[in-house]
Amino acid sequence: MGDKGAMDKMKGKAKQKAGKVMGDERLKSEGRTDEAKGKAKNAMGNAKENAQGMKDSLRNKGRS
């Protein structure tokens, strides 16, 4: 699940660097937004994985 988030983060960092080199504040801002979006996607993916892990753990605990 983190792949989409990682791609957004990399794209965001690249935009920020390009914006800095070109002096383009709008591009830098877009980069920060993309990077934040990537971090949010990673966090959501981790939360879903943790929730699934807890669900599976509870299910298996009842079978012991």
Side-chain angles (χ1 to χ4, degrees):
M1 287 194 184
D3 292 338
K4 289 181 181 181
M7 289 298 294
D8 283 335
K9 283 172 59 176
M10 287 191 312
K11 181 174 73 170
K13 286 182 181 189
K15 280 184 178 181
Q16 287 179 66
K17 286 182 182 182
K20 186 174 182 178
V21 168
M22 297 181 338
D24 186 337
E25 287 298 320
R26 181 173 158 217
L27 189 58
K28 283 177 21 180
S29 178
E30 285 179 17
R32 286 189 293 271
T33 300
D34 287 343
E35 189 174 1
K37 189 186 324 178
K39 288 178 181 179
K41 284 181 182 179
N42 283 343
M44 286 300 296
N46 290 338
K48 285 180 183 179
E49 289 174 13
N50 288 339
Q52 185 62 45
M54 286 192 310
K55 181 179 172 185
D56 291 344
S57 178
L58 291 172
R59 183 179 301 142
N60 291 334
K61 193 173 189 175
R63 292 182 183 170
S64 297

